Amino acid sequence: MHSQQDPTRKGGAEEPAQRLVLVTGPSGAGRSTAINVLEDLGYEAIDNLPLSLIPRLLDGPPRPVPLALGLDVRNRDFSVANLIELIDRLTRLPEYAPEVLFLDCTTEQLLRRFNETRRRHPLRGEASPLDAIRAERDLLAPIRARADVLVDTSELSPHDLKAELARWFDTETGRRLAVSVQSFSYKRGVPRGVDMMFDCRFLANPHWEPALRPLDGRDPAVQDHVIADPRFDEFFRRVRDLVLFALPAHLEEGKAHLAIGFGCTGGQHRSVTMAEKMADALAKAGWQVSTRHRELERRQKAPAPGDDGQHGLSHGRAPG
């Protein structure tokens, strides 16, 4: 694929290819957050650069760090045809290793984000926000089809988005496998991107204890109630042993991130308890672990990935 040399380019094919990530997607899907994350990961990041200026930017000696460019419909010379032409040209250059990162999101979630932030959609004009969102989605469909990495941010906090992008674009060599342990409610559907999933609905339910009902699985009283179930110890031990057996194999295969989910009816007591206990056990075994409690985050009504100041309930545990 990288066999043709552009006569306007400097350097030879022997030089290591410059990693180049083109970041795009519908407005409100988290592109700006992604650009900031890539910058934190060591990329030279430039947002909203006109397409016509990109060849000038790339003309010259290779940069010492990878490059990330944010592209969206607000660019004055943006067009799908021009962007596809740029992607094709870069693909033919041996000096570059281009990747298209497309941040996507459901139409309903995009509409909610624009309503909450009161931002005006760049394609709105006289159209309604919903029509503008749909028009932009249709416009970007050919780019989405060309994406090398597609990330759906509909249910991701900035913390989750950073973990997902690090999984694909972290430049640090010798990094370890990052493990995410999540709790969720089956009533709201299973979370996206979970690699291993376990059902906790057979365990004793603190919901039926009036004193425990308003609490959640991070509370010691709730945890004691769940752990008192005679089936808990064997269930926990078998799941822990299975996960500890699988983690080294995933690391050996080159995986950078593994998500483990625990579900129950409401996502408040049993799954949260199991997730907390499992995350603690894995950290003590030396793994890099973070936790997320989806339904508890929903109660916080955290802002969308593209907004400033969002703080969800995800947190990390250092290996013990």
Side-chain angles (χ1 to χ4, degrees):
M1 180 176 292
H2 300 303
S3 60
Q4 301 181 34
Q5 174 75 31
D6 188 317
T8 65
R9 297 297 306 160
K10 301 180 178 69
E14 296 80 7
E15 295 291 333
Q18 171 92 51
R19 191 170 191 182
L20 172 62
V21 181
L22 303 176
V23 186
T24 190
S27 304
R31 182 186 48 79
S32 296
T33 299
I35 286 291
N36 292 334
V37 169
L38 290 171
E39 187 171 25
D40 291 342
L41 291 174
Y43 287 71
E44 181 181 346
I46 305 174
D47 200 9
N48 286 328
L49 185 69
L51 294 181
S52 59
L53 296 182
I54 293 179
R56 300 185 195 178
L57 174 70
L58 301 180
D59 188 21
R63 286 169 167 75
V65 296
L67 188 62
L69 303 180
L71 308 171
D72 75 274
V73 297
R74 290 175 294 172
N75 289 344
R76 63 176 181 266
D77 61 355
F78 180 89
S79 78
V80 170
N82 288 343
L83 182 50
I84 290 179
E85 181 182 355
L86 174 66
I87 295 170
D88 288 340
R89 180 190 177 193
L90 291 172
T91 300
R92 293 192 297 267
L93 297 178
E95 296 93 336
Y96 293 99
E99 300 167 87
V100 178
L101 167 62
F102 193 96
L103 284 301
D104 205 359
C105 187
T106 64
T107 299
E108 295 74 18
Q109 185 69 278
L110 288 174
L111 184 60
R112 183 184 70 81
R113 292 175 184 178
F114 274 100
N115 287 338
E116 288 181 352
T117 61
R118 299 176 186 254
R119 292 173 51 207
R120 185 178 182 86
H121 194 282
L123 295 186
R124 181 171 177 179
E126 299 299 324
S128 68
L130 180 58
D131 288 340
I133 289 171
R134 288 172 173 168
E136 185 181 29
R137 186 179 296 284
D138 291 341
L139 175 68
L140 295 176
I143 305 301
R144 187 182 190 277
R146 294 290 299 270
D148 298 291
V149 179
L150 177 64
V151 177
D152 189 325
T153 68
S154 301
E155 295 185 0
L156 298 184
S157 69
H159 178 90
D160 300 321
L161 180 57
K162 182 173 183 177
E164 182 67 16
L165 294 181
R167 173 182 177 182
W168 292 99
F169 300 106
D170 196 345
T171 59
E172 182 182 350
T173 58
R175 64 182 183 276
R176 304 180 65 190
L177 177 67
V179 183
S180 171
V181 180
Q182 308 177 21
S183 67
F184 65 92
S185 163
Y186 277 102
K187 291 192 298 184
R188 293 188 178 271
V190 299
R192 294 180 176 90
V194 172
D195 300 292
M196 305 175 71
M197 190 180 307
F198 302 93
D199 191 339
C200 303
R201 287 175 290 187
F202 66 90
L203 295 172
N205 192 354
H207 174 81
W208 303 115
E209 298 293 331
L212 301 179
R213 184 175 300 177
L215 306 177
D216 62 63
R218 297 169 298 178
D219 191 284
V222 172
Q223 294 182 357
D224 289 344
H225 183 88
V226 176
I227 293 173
D229 188 318
R231 299 163 295 190
F232 179 86
D233 285 343
E234 184 172 359
F235 175 59
F236 179 84
R237 176 178 55 80
R238 292 193 177 206
V239 172
R240 180 199 60 201
D241 291 348
L242 173 62
V243 172
L244 289 176
F245 169 79
L247 289 179
H250 285 291
L251 182 60
E252 185 178 337
E253 286 298 309
K255 197 163 189 177
H257 181 267
L258 186 81
I260 304 168
F262 293 96
C264 64
T265 304
Q268 178 179 340
H269 298 112
R270 294 167 290 182
S271 61
V272 174
T273 295
M274 191 69 180
E276 286 287 314
K277 293 297 183 181
M278 187 59 61
D280 185 61
L282 297 180
K284 288 179 178 177
W287 294 95
Q288 177 184 335
V289 186
S290 65
T291 58
R292 180 193 178 193
H293 303 301
R294 189 183 71 179
E295 313 315 330
L296 303 187
E297 289 181 16
R298 286 178 181 270
R299 296 180 184 177
Q300 299 292 321
K301 296 183 179 179
D307 298 335
D308 293 331
Q310 178 172 348
H311 299 285
L313 295 175
S314 300
H315 59 279
R317 285 177 167 83

